[in-house]
Amino acid sequence: MDADQIIIEPVVTEKTNIMRESHKYTFKVNRGANKSQVMRAVNELFNVHPLKCNIFNVSRKPKRVRYRLGYTAVWKKAVVTLPPGEVIPIFEGV
């Protein structure tokens, strides 16, 4: 897989903004990707050197639309830790 196929989009929430202060960045990644692929993709796309990567499978949650019961999609989340001197510009608004 290519780097742009592995990392789908950044996850920007209040919790992930707080985690950025400790140099942890969160991404939605391809469900078939593993830790080493995600670290390599972050290195290629953003020119940073990740220290470690934690991956979580986000399970589905029940949602209702009017009278019908449905579920959200299952996706994979990666939290990438960077060294203290490096930042990813798309999160910083540069």
Side-chain angles (χ1 to χ4, degrees):
M1 277 190 276
D2 294 334
D4 58 345
Q5 292 176 339
I6 293 173
I7 296 186
I8 298 172
E9 63 186 10
V11 177
V12 181
T13 62
E14 287 185 38
K15 186 176 181 179
T16 59
N17 286 336
I18 293 169
M19 289 172 58
R20 267 197 351 233
E21 295 172 3
S22 59
H23 306 287
K24 294 182 180 184
Y25 295 86
T26 308
F27 299 97
K28 182 176 182 180
V29 296
N30 189 326
R31 290 189 60 203
N34 59 26
K35 290 181 181 188
S36 61
Q37 290 174 334
V38 170
M39 289 176 67
R40 192 172 342 109
V42 169
N43 188 0
E44 288 177 18
L45 292 175
F46 305 113
N47 296 322
V48 293
H49 301 72
L51 296 176
K52 68 178 187 173
C53 175
N54 296 330
I55 293 186
F56 309 96
N57 286 314
V58 180
S59 59
R60 67 184 192 163
K61 298 177 186 171
K63 297 289 181 181
R64 270 188 30 179
V65 177
R66 287 195 172 244
Y67 306 109
R68 294 182 182 240
L69 181 64
Y71 295 95
T72 59
V74 177
W75 56 288
K76 189 178 265 193
K77 174 170 62 172
V79 178
V80 178
T81 305
L82 298 181
E86 295 185 356
V87 295
I88 296 177
I90 62 166
F91 285 98
E92 303 302 325
V94 175

